[in-house]
Structures are given as structure tokens and as C-alpha cells.
Amino acid sequence: MQKNGISNAVIRRLPKYYRQIEWLLDEGVERISSSELSMRMDISASLVRQDLNWFPGSGVQGHGYDVKNLYEEIGHMIGVHQSHNIIVVGAESLGQALATYSNFEKYGFIMTGMFDVNPRLVGLVCRGVEIRPLDHMEAFIRENDIQIAALTVPPKRAVELAARLYRAGVRAIWNFANADLELPDDMIVENVHLSESLMQLSFRLNASA
Amino acid sequence: MQKNGISNAVIRRLPKYYRQIEWLLDEGVERISSSELSMRMDISASLVRQDLNWFPGSGVQGHGYDVKNLYEEIGHMIGVHQSHNIIVVGAESLGQALATYSNFEKYGFIMTGMFDVNPRLVGLVCRGVEIRPLDHMEAFIRENDIQIAALTVPPKRAVELAARLYRAGVRAIWNFANADLELPDDMIVENVHLSESLMQLSFRLNASA
């Protein structure tokens, strides 16, 4: 349970609601019932109603939800209107792909810097952001109020770099390194383990053969 | 429960064991006890013993596990020694980053082709693999026995492309598109939803502020 009382299960579903409601907005839908939303999202209507009780401004009994209000309220809950400066640590192809990822800005993250040890990469500019030498990282974090780092370095370097990010004041790591980071509890870590995802795919493919 | 009797919970943990044991091998460790493995992986020792009961050739009561055997047995279970041809559909920066992702081969996936609608990208070569026009995709899938596709296209194109991949005979999709794919049950879909991960990070960061 988070401090605002919303359960982790609801939090995990919020981005799915947000995405679905964004599609409805694009389609010009103004109101939607819990049963229609339920069908589109493959979640039971009663769970939809329960989840959306967190957003009391958006629904009136028997009249469905106001799509625009719901989008605003969920976005506010997720925090997409608050901005945070983010850096990418590790500027090989995955780091560069992330730097060009337009959704960063959509969710309030401002791409501020990129870092790599490789002198061949240092000085390159990726979507207006220059790749800097790794040993400038700590000073840059302090000078630019960096709160988040996307970590896309080899697993053997990840643990040490995560500790450096913590000491420099970074509060959250979006971890793409194929390693479990050991960090104090006040560091937020969101893992994207591509290798594990690929192994799941391999297992499921072979099990179904 | 999968058809070989192993539970989904164990399957989700297998890649973590595999990765941990790979590190042990690199460090030159030959045998490891369930309690040491438990500490390294932050999983209870009894759960480790229970999970690794699936690999009876690797452990002898009181003598710990043979690291090399365990690595082989888990790799065999995951299916890393079986090879499958994979294509990348959508060859913008994320698609290109995936194409250069060396772990594909490590887990038995052979990068065979890349496809995009953008004529500016068609003809470029990414790690030895040429980017081809999207309308050549179906013929290529049939001629090259493609079983897996990594999908990195905009959400609005993803549903239609996933259906085309299914009809062309692809059996599994590694889905990076920010969309829920609606496909028959015999298509395996492994989702990597980067936007949702980023929203989770945003929420947790704002909730902790």
C-alpha cells in the first residue's frame, strides 16, 4: 500500500487505463460506461468501477465516465504533469534509442544528459542532447537537479554505477541493465529486464512446440 | 501450469536463476549451496530448493549444486540451445537497438530480417541485416521459417501488423508497441510496455515526494 492509500494492484493498472482513455479521447469519445471500458480492457466491470472510485470527479451513477476528466485525473495521479530531469547512463544503441523516445516528455521526463565511457561516443549529439564523459556525471547531476537515470550499461558495471547515482542524489533508476541492483530502500528502481523477457519467450515457444 | 508440469511462478524465476548461475560460472564457482544461492538472489532457501528440484541432475543432498550442470539444465529447460529465426518489425531507433542486441543469439534467436514502411530506412544495414520494405514481410516469413517477430511500431499500426504476422505463420511476438494485441490463443505474446514502466516510475517518484 502506498502512502496515499491506493493499492499497488491499482497502481499497476493505472497506466493501462490512462492509455485506453487516451485512445478514447483520440477517437472523440466523450463519455464511457464501466461495462464498455471493461470490454475494451479485458478487466471485469466491477473491478473497473472499484478502480475508478479513486477518481470521483469523473463518474456519475448511471451516466458513465467523462473521458476528458478521467484522463486528467488519472494523469494527475500518475504525475505526468510534474516534470523531472532524466539522464541516460550508457549511450550505446539502447541508450540512444531511449534518448529518442518521445514518450519521455509525455510523462513529464525531460531528457537532460547522456553519459558513456566510450570516447568514440562522447561528443555525439542525440536528439539535441550531447553524450558526455562518464566522469562528468556526478557534477552534472548536482548542477542540473537530475532525479532519474535510465541505466543501460553492461551488467558488470551496473551495480557500481547505481551506487554512484545514489550517492550523487538520483532518486530513481529506470534499470535496463541485466543485473539486480542493491540499493537503499529510498532509491526507486523500475526494472526492464529484456533478457528475462526474451527467455520467457523462448521457454513458452519451446513448451508449446 | 504449463504442459510439462512446471508452474508459471517457477518459469518466471528461471531466467533469474540462469543469470545468477551464469555469474557464478564467470567467477569460477563450481558448487553452490541453496543457502548461498538464496542470499545472492534474495529468495528463501526453501524456495530455491523447491525450484531446483526440477533439475535433479545438479544437486546432491548436503553437497550443494554443481554450477555447470545447473546452468546446462536450466538453459535446456528455457530452450536456449534451440534456435529460432526472429525478425524486427519497425526499424526506427528502438528496432535498430534491438537488432544490435547481442543477447538474441545467446538465447537461441537468430536475427534474420528487419522491416519498415519508411523508404528512408529501407536498404540500410544494421549489424549485417538489411532493412526491407514492409510489404515484403509475409513472403520473407514464409521463405525463411520465421517463428518470432519483435514488434516496435506505433500503437495504431500494431494491432493490424500483429494480425498479419499471425496469418503469415509467426508463432510468437515480442511486443514493444504501446498497445494490447488481440490475437488467437495459439499466438505467444510477451509484452514490454516501456510507457507503462515509465508511468510506474513517475507515480512512485511523485508518491514518495
Side-chain angles (χ1 to χ4, degrees):
Chain A
M1 196 69 88
Q2 302 279 335
K3 69 177 183 186
N4 50 10
I6 193 166
S7 77
N8 286 323
V10 179
I11 295 161
R12 273 196 299 276
R13 285 191 293 273
L14 283 184
K16 291 187 198 295
Y17 284 108
Y18 195 67
R19 172 152 56 89
Q20 191 64 52
I21 291 160
E22 190 169 51
W23 284 44
L24 290 170
L25 268 185
D26 282 358
E27 290 169 21
V29 176
E30 292 181 3
R31 298 196 76 82
I32 190 160
S33 68
S34 51
S35 55
E36 280 171 73
L37 206 47
S38 156
M39 276 189 297
R40 278 174 171 257
M41 294 186 59
D42 206 15
I43 295 178
S44 79
S46 65
L47 189 56
V48 168
R49 281 189 292 270
Q50 193 180 309
D51 286 345
L52 299 187
N53 267 340
W54 287 99
F55 309 100
S58 302
V60 177
Q61 185 84 41
H63 287 77
Y65 300 94
D66 181 303
V67 174
K68 195 159 174 296
N69 272 0
L70 202 51
Y71 186 70
E72 290 297 320
E73 285 199 277
I74 296 178
H76 181 76
M77 177 77 91
I78 292 172
V80 298
H81 306 303
Q82 291 178 52
S83 64
H84 301 282
N85 292 333
I86 184 167
I87 56 171
V88 171
V89 180
E92 296 281 349
S93 60
L94 180 60
Q96 290 180 26
L98 290 181
T100 63
Y101 189 59
S102 60
N103 283 359
F104 268 141
E105 281 136 45
K106 197 163 155 190
Y107 302 126
F109 297 151
I110 301 157
M111 171 62 62
T112 312
M114 295 180 76
F115 297 87
D116 206 285
V117 282
N118 186 342
R120 191 178 50 79
L121 295 174
V122 169
L124 295 182
V125 176
C126 205
R127 211 176 170 227
V129 176
E130 189 186 336
I131 302 174
R132 293 160 200 269
L134 194 63
D135 52 14
H136 295 191
M137 184 178 77
E138 278 87 348
F140 187 91
I141 289 169
R142 294 196 186 98
E143 284 157 19
N144 294 277
D145 185 30
I146 303 299
Q147 298 177 296
I148 309 176
L151 194 57
T152 68
V153 298
K156 298 206 173 172
R157 301 225 51 196
V159 174
E160 167 225 334
L161 276 166
R164 279 175 59 179
L165 290 166
Y166 180 78
R167 284 194 301 269
V170 163
R171 293 177 50 219
I173 293 181
W174 202 24
N175 178 36
F176 287 80
N178 191 17
D180 294 315
L181 306 180
E182 284 156 32
L183 290 161
D185 285 345
D186 58 343
M187 176 70 112
I188 295 163
V189 179
E190 174 75 21
N191 291 308
V192 181
H193 284 328
L194 296 180
S195 288
E196 290 186 12
S197 175
L198 208 49
M199 282 192 261
Q200 296 284 350
L201 196 63
S202 169
F203 178 87
R204 291 165 65 193
L205 196 61
N206 294 315
S208 75
Chain B
M1 197 69 89
Q2 301 278 335
K3 68 179 183 185
N4 51 10
I6 192 166
S7 76
N8 287 322
V10 179
I11 295 161
R12 274 196 298 276
R13 285 191 294 272
L14 283 184
K16 290 189 198 292
Y17 284 109
Y18 194 67
R19 172 153 56 89
Q20 191 64 53
I21 291 160
E22 189 169 53
W23 283 43
L24 290 170
L25 268 185
D26 281 359
E27 289 170 21
V29 177
E30 292 181 3
R31 299 195 76 82
I32 190 159
S33 67
S34 51
S35 55
E36 279 172 75
L37 206 47
S38 157
M39 275 189 298
R40 278 174 171 258
M41 294 187 59
D42 206 15
I43 295 178
S44 79
S46 65
L47 190 56
V48 167
R49 281 190 291 272
Q50 192 180 310
D51 287 344
L52 298 186
N53 268 340
W54 287 99
F55 309 98
S58 302
V60 176
Q61 185 83 43
H63 287 79
Y65 300 93
D66 181 304
V67 174
K68 196 160 174 294
N69 272 359
L70 201 52
Y71 186 69
E72 290 296 321
E73 285 199 278
I74 296 178
H76 182 77
M77 176 77 92
I78 293 171
V80 298
H81 305 304
Q82 291 178 53
S83 65
H84 301 282
N85 292 332
I86 185 166
I87 56 172
V88 172
V89 181
E92 297 281 348
S93 60
L94 180 59
Q96 290 179 26
L98 290 181
T100 63
Y101 188 58
S102 60
N103 284 359
F104 269 141
E105 282 137 45
K106 197 163 153 189
Y107 303 126
F109 297 150
I110 301 157
M111 171 61 63
T112 312
M114 294 180 76
F115 296 88
D116 207 284
V117 283
N118 187 341
R120 192 177 50 77
L121 294 174
V122 169
L124 295 182
V125 175
C126 205
R127 212 176 169 226
V129 175
E130 190 186 336
I131 302 175
R132 293 160 201 268
L134 195 62
D135 52 14
H136 295 191
M137 184 178 77
E138 278 87 347
F140 188 90
I141 288 170
R142 295 196 186 97
E143 284 158 18
N144 294 278
D145 185 30
I146 303 299
Q147 299 178 295
I148 310 175
L151 193 58
T152 68
V153 298
K156 297 204 175 175
R157 301 228 50 198
V159 174
E160 167 225 334
L161 276 166
R164 280 174 60 178
L165 290 166
Y166 180 79
R167 286 195 301 270
V170 162
R171 292 177 51 220
I173 293 181
W174 202 24
N175 178 36
F176 287 80
N178 191 18
D180 294 315
L181 306 180
E182 284 156 31
L183 290 162
D185 285 346
D186 58 343
M187 176 70 111
I188 295 164
V189 179
E190 174 76 20
N191 292 308
V192 181
H193 284 327
L194 295 180
S195 288
E196 290 187 12
S197 175
L198 207 49
M199 281 192 261
Q200 296 285 349
L201 197 63
S202 170
F203 178 88
R204 291 165 65 194
L205 196 61
N206 293 317
S208 74

